[in-house]
Amino acid sequence: MLVAWRYRKREKSFIQSFDPRAWIMFYGCFLFSTLAFWDARYLLFFAFIALFTLLTSGVRWDEIRRAILFIVGFVLIFSFFTFLTGRGGTEVYEQEHLIRRLEASFSIFGWTPALNITVERAFFGVSMFVRVFSIAIMTVLIPYSLDPAFYGVTFRGLGLPDKIAYAMDLTMRFIPTFSRDFQLTMDAQRARGFELEKIRGGLFEQVRKLGPLMVPVTIHAIIGSEDIIDAMDLRAFGIGPRTWLQNLIYQFKDRILIGVGLAILLFSLALSTLGLGDFWVPPALLALAGG
């Protein structure tokens, strides 16, 4: 049986007060608007929207604690390595102002490891953090706030064909279903004496020893997908236009939300076309580097 994310109806949720189609469209506008800027001052506006949505979503901390900690950790690590390597930043800035150069006291085949700490790299990491964090917060709230019963009809209402809409429905349910099967299989194997904590050896040896855990989960996922295909074939899915049990109707506030999203998108594209919102470094940091 397919399962879904830990959704529950929340009476005072800002997200759930809108039609899911309107919220998905607003999210799309938010996403493309955020990608139009590298200026941290502009990105703070989108970070404010993301934090406002998070605080008014009605989702409890214990429900998304792991997801938020993973997002923060991933974004921090991603921004840190971006700062170390400077990769990606060279596409948005050409000149770097050196603050300090750190060199190792040893050499490897004549090469001495060194790290250039520049103003541009440091602030590019900050801009990257704000940008990715804003998008991640808005994204992680969708499965916790969108009713699983409306997955298919929502994507169908956005103009997608029935097959694609149903494929999106199955995709949204795959990860939690796979997670449930993995947990059940792990509990069953532990009851049979399989101890994950005592797995030792190299990478290939550990993968080999995880066979009693991964093989049943993989086979169950394949069998489950075949059952879904058979059920859809028996119901003549794809022969003609299908009907949906749920019915979504736009309200006035939904149209306002869509209008706000489109306005933000168009305004962001206009600013980007005019050359505003490009990578920006505070003049105080440039003065610190002697630039």
Side-chain angles (χ1 to χ4, degrees):
M1 181 183 67
L2 294 176
V3 296
W5 300 93
R6 296 182 179 179
Y7 167 85
R8 66 181 181 87
K9 182 66 177 178
R10 300 171 176 88
E11 296 182 356
K12 297 182 179 180
S13 174
F14 179 75
I15 298 180
Q16 294 183 7
S17 62
F18 295 97
D19 188 297
R21 296 171 298 175
W23 185 256
I24 293 295
M25 283 189 279
F26 177 81
Y27 167 77
C29 294
F30 176 90
L31 175 62
F32 288 106
S33 298
T34 307
L35 296 178
F37 299 108
W38 275 112
D39 193 327
R41 297 171 297 179
Y42 293 84
L43 292 173
L44 285 176
F45 168 74
F46 298 100
F48 172 79
I49 294 178
L51 290 175
F52 172 81
T53 305
L54 174 64
L55 296 177
T56 59
S57 64
V59 181
R60 300 195 309 268
W61 168 249
D62 59 319
E63 294 178 298
I64 59 173
R65 177 176 58 87
R66 292 183 178 179
I68 294 298
L69 292 178
F70 172 79
I71 288 173
V72 173
F74 173 79
V75 175
L76 284 175
I77 293 174
F78 184 74
S79 302
F80 178 71
F81 278 103
T82 301
F83 164 71
L84 291 180
T85 62
R87 294 299 181 94
T90 55
E91 300 178 0
V92 297
Y93 58 81
E94 298 178 354
Q95 185 181 5
E96 294 188 61
H97 296 80
L98 184 66
I99 299 178
R100 179 173 298 180
R101 178 180 174 84
L102 303 177
E103 293 187 359
S105 58
F106 57 89
S107 298
I108 302 176
F109 300 108
W111 172 70
T112 302
L115 171 63
N116 292 327
I117 302 178
T118 66
V119 175
E120 286 75 14
R121 286 190 184 187
F123 214 74
F124 182 76
V126 173
S127 301
M128 176 69 73
F129 176 83
V130 178
R131 191 188 205 190
V132 179
F133 179 78
S134 303
I135 296 175
I137 289 297
M138 293 290 285
T139 303
V140 76
L141 288 176
I142 292 178
Y144 289 93
S145 302
L146 181 59
D147 192 341
F150 293 134
Y151 283 168
V153 68
T154 296
F155 294 111
R156 181 66 182 91
L158 293 174
L160 298 178
D162 290 332
K163 291 183 179 181
I164 298 181
Y166 198 74
M168 295 293 293
D169 189 338
L170 295 178
T171 302
M172 294 283 287
R173 294 174 181 267
F174 173 77
I175 296 178
T177 301
F178 187 84
S179 176
R180 179 209 58 181
D181 294 341
F182 184 85
Q183 185 64 45
L184 292 176
T185 303
M186 185 168 59
D187 293 341
Q189 297 291 28
R190 281 177 172 173
R192 295 179 174 86
F194 182 71
E195 298 180 356
L196 292 173
E197 295 80 7
K198 295 185 178 181
I199 294 180
R200 297 292 186 271
L203 176 61
F204 294 101
E205 183 66 17
Q206 293 184 22
V207 172
R208 186 186 67 83
K209 292 181 179 179
L210 285 175
L213 183 62
M214 298 305 300
V215 172
V217 174
T218 303
I219 293 178
H220 190 276
I222 296 175
I223 294 175
S225 62
E226 291 180 349
D227 291 339
I228 295 175
I229 293 173
D230 293 338
M232 294 173 66
D233 288 339
L234 290 173
R235 290 167 175 80
F237 183 85
I239 300 300
R242 65 165 294 168
T243 58
W244 299 85
L245 182 62
Q246 295 81 14
N247 186 29
L248 297 176
I249 301 176
Y250 284 116
Q251 298 182 9
F252 180 69
K253 60 182 180 180
D254 301 321
R255 302 183 187 278
I256 292 180
L257 181 65
I258 296 174
V260 171
L262 290 175
I264 294 176
L265 177 60
L266 294 176
F267 190 66
S268 300
L269 293 178
L271 292 178
S272 179
T273 303
L274 294 174
L276 301 175
D278 294 336
F279 182 68
W280 171 81
V281 178
L285 292 181
L286 295 178
L288 180 64

